[in-house]
Amino acid sequence: MVVAAPASGSGKTTVATGLMAALRARGLRVSPHKVGPDYIDPGYHALATGRPGRNLDPWLTGESTVRPLFLHGARGADLAVVEGVMGLFDGRGDTDFASTAHVARLLDAPVVLVVDAARQSRSVAAVVHGFATFDPRVRVGGVILNRVGSDRHEELCRSALAAAGVRVLGALRRDDAVSTPSRHLGLIPAAEREAEAVAAVERLGELVARSCDLEALVRLARTAPALPERPWSPGEALATPAGRMPEAARRVPEGSLAETSAGAPRGGRGSGPVVAVAGGAAFTFGYAEHAELLQAAGAQVATFDPLRDEALPEGTAGVVIGGGFPEMYAADLAANEPLKRRIAAFPGPVAAECAGLLYLCESLDDHTMCGKIPAKAEMTPRLTLGYRDAVATRDSLLTRAGEPYRGHEFHRTAVTTDGEPLFRWEGGGDGHGDPLLTASYLHLHWAGTPSAAQRLVSSSKSPSALR
């Protein structure tokens, strides 16, 4: 089922995460998914389900890859919960492309609409009626009311929705005890909160369990038809440059979610070069498929924490530094001089996105960073956010001149540098690159550009060869 809402801030993450935790507590194997490029919500989904949170984004990976990626993540699950993004029909620009509605249509999945009932009663029915009838291809199967103030308030909302012919599947009371802390880029990642985040997810599960009709929600989810595609495979994605299996190869006999997901080829763990991937509290942004693609390309994937580790993992032949919040940990990152020196002097391939770009700069505000890139970064009051239709201006570690890339920007920093940017898009561009480096604000989903993993692994040589 898809958990959606009329607008951001309605309670999608509260309901979706709590629903995942509540269903897992009932003994179900729950597959967690998130519409769009968001990295933070999937971290909470992973805590709730014990499985990697997976993103479904038609813009970043292409429409034809969404269903195979969904089935890949849902392999062996009893039920899948997909948290939407923004309002149900909010997509790129003035279209619903890459919206929650778009993904719900691609999956042919029922939608549960989370409605913030605060400061309204009968009007809730009008809102829901509009969303349920706006696009007949989107099946709104029921409503969960959020921020209900009292028994009387709930009774009024339920009565109005019953008259409109819409099922109420749950009603959550206002409860500040289950709120999730946020800051300048949204929720604080679960990896930064550790035990506190685990406790918060547990409370969300208890709230949803006592406030929602879980049996009715499971029945609704089971109305979704089986998908005929084969699950996405990192090995097959690497074998097809566009990252999409041939149409004939994707077709398999219909079956249940668990049956359809079974038996899909998995990428190997890899026995070749070691690719070190940054992690820890400062670098929490990443897609699970990236490590799977690296392994399928032959790499051994090892993690390191730039806040704590003074050296790269033994045998490192390539480095990936993804997104996160280095600005929140700038002083601690700056204090780790041994690792900064090793990163600056590392002679092998380095791929960096957003936070990784900042870490490779000479400085971030008043803190000295690695200095691998001749640029300075600083915090700004302006949020830069949105999809980008980019073109590479030249060859680099991951790019070839003239190649198109679909990415996403999400930051409140700016980098000051000279020279031609590595990527150009309408109204802007950024990035640094050479044969052993790609560093940019642009977040890519490698399931949409699997060549990135292959190029990085192919450029990774043994440590002895790098000396």
Side-chain angles (χ1 to χ4, degrees), residues 322-364:
F325 291 96
E327 62 269 26
M328 304 303 299
Y329 299 93
D332 293 326
L333 290 170
N336 190 349
E337 290 287 350
L339 183 63
K340 287 194 306 180
R341 288 196 299 269
R342 287 178 168 85
I343 293 287
F346 182 68
V350 178
E353 287 184 352
C354 201
L357 166 68
L358 305 182
Y359 184 55
L360 295 182
C361 285
E362 296 169 341
S363 63
L364 173 54

Side-chain angles (χ1 to χ4, degrees), residues 140-144 158 161-162 165-170 216-217 219-220 223:
V140 176
V143 171
I144 292 177
R158 283 181 176 273
L161 287 163
V166 180
R167 287 186 297 172
V168 177
L169 300 172
L217 285 160
R219 288 195 300 271
L220 176 64
T223 66

Side-chain angles (χ1 to χ4, degrees), residues 277-316:
V277 179
F283 297 96
T284 57
F285 292 5
Y287 298 122
E289 292 82 3
H290 288 196
E292 293 167 350
L293 282 163
L294 288 170
Q295 290 168 357
Q300 302 177 66
V301 177
T303 59
F304 69 102
D305 185 349
L307 289 173
R308 306 176 188 275
D309 297 329
E310 295 187 346
L312 292 167
E314 184 178 355
T316 293

Side-chain angles (χ1 to χ4, degrees), residues 74-380:
R75 178 182 289 110
D78 299 308
L79 184 145
V81 177
V82 181
E83 181 187 341
V85 62
M86 300 189 294
L88 176 57
F89 299 104
D90 298 330
R92 186 170 187 266
D94 60 356
T95 75
D96 79 343
F97 192 93
S99 69
T100 304
H102 186 190
V103 171
R105 292 196 304 268
L106 289 173
L107 299 179
D108 201 7
V111 171
V112 176
L113 198 66
V114 179
V115 180
D116 185 348
R119 296 183 296 278
Q120 59 179 322
S121 56
R122 191 164 183 267
S123 295
V124 164
V127 171
V128 173
H129 174 75
F131 275 82
T133 59
F134 184 77
D135 184 346
R137 299 171 299 170
V138 177
R139 178 163 54 101
V140 176
V143 171
I144 292 177
L145 300 168
N146 191 30
R147 297 181 66 204
V148 175
S150 65
D151 289 345
R152 177 58 175 163
H153 184 202
E154 180 178 339
E155 180 184 334
L156 291 170
C157 292
R158 283 181 176 273
S159 176
L161 287 163
V166 180
R167 287 186 297 172
V168 177
L169 300 172
L172 279 63
R173 298 298 171 90
R174 298 169 188 162
D175 189 348
D176 292 337
V178 298
S179 63
T180 305
S182 61
R183 59 178 179 229
H184 60 287
L185 290 182
L187 297 182
I188 297 175
E192 294 187 44
R193 302 177 63 207
E194 298 180 346
E196 182 187 5
V198 172
V201 168
E202 184 177 340
R203 289 195 299 271
L204 289 175
E206 293 169 352
L207 173 64
V208 168
R210 68 174 180 264
S211 306
C212 297
D213 186 342
L214 296 183
E215 287 75 17
L217 285 160
V218 170
R219 288 195 300 271
L220 176 64
R222 287 177 175 159
T223 66
L227 300 176
E229 281 83 0
R230 259 172 58 189
W232 179 84
S233 158
E236 290 183 0
L238 290 171
T240 55
R244 300 178 179 85
M245 289 177 279
E247 188 69 24
R250 290 203 299 268
R251 297 288 169 181
V252 296
E254 292 188 5
S256 68
L257 178 62
E259 292 167 344
T260 304
S261 301
R266 294 175 180 267
R269 176 153 182 80
S271 58
V274 174
V275 174
V277 179
F283 297 96
T284 57
F285 292 5
Y287 298 122
E289 292 82 3
H290 288 196
E292 293 167 350
L293 282 163
L294 288 170
Q295 290 168 357
Q300 302 177 66
V301 177
T303 59
F304 69 102
D305 185 349
L307 289 173
R308 306 176 188 275
D309 297 329
E310 295 187 346
L312 292 167
E314 184 178 355
T316 293
V319 176
V320 177
I321 311 175
F325 291 96
E327 62 269 26
M328 304 303 299
Y329 299 93
D332 293 326
L333 290 170
N336 190 349
E337 290 287 350
L339 183 63
K340 287 194 306 180
R341 288 196 299 269
R342 287 178 168 85
I343 293 287
F346 182 68
V350 178
E353 287 184 352
C354 201
L357 166 68
L358 305 182
Y359 184 55
L360 295 182
C361 285
E362 296 169 341
S363 63
L364 173 54
D365 289 333
D366 297 325
H367 302 284
T368 302
M369 295 290 112
C370 296
K372 197 173 185 71
I373 293 174
K376 299 181 185 300
E378 61 181 0
M379 287 291 295
T380 72

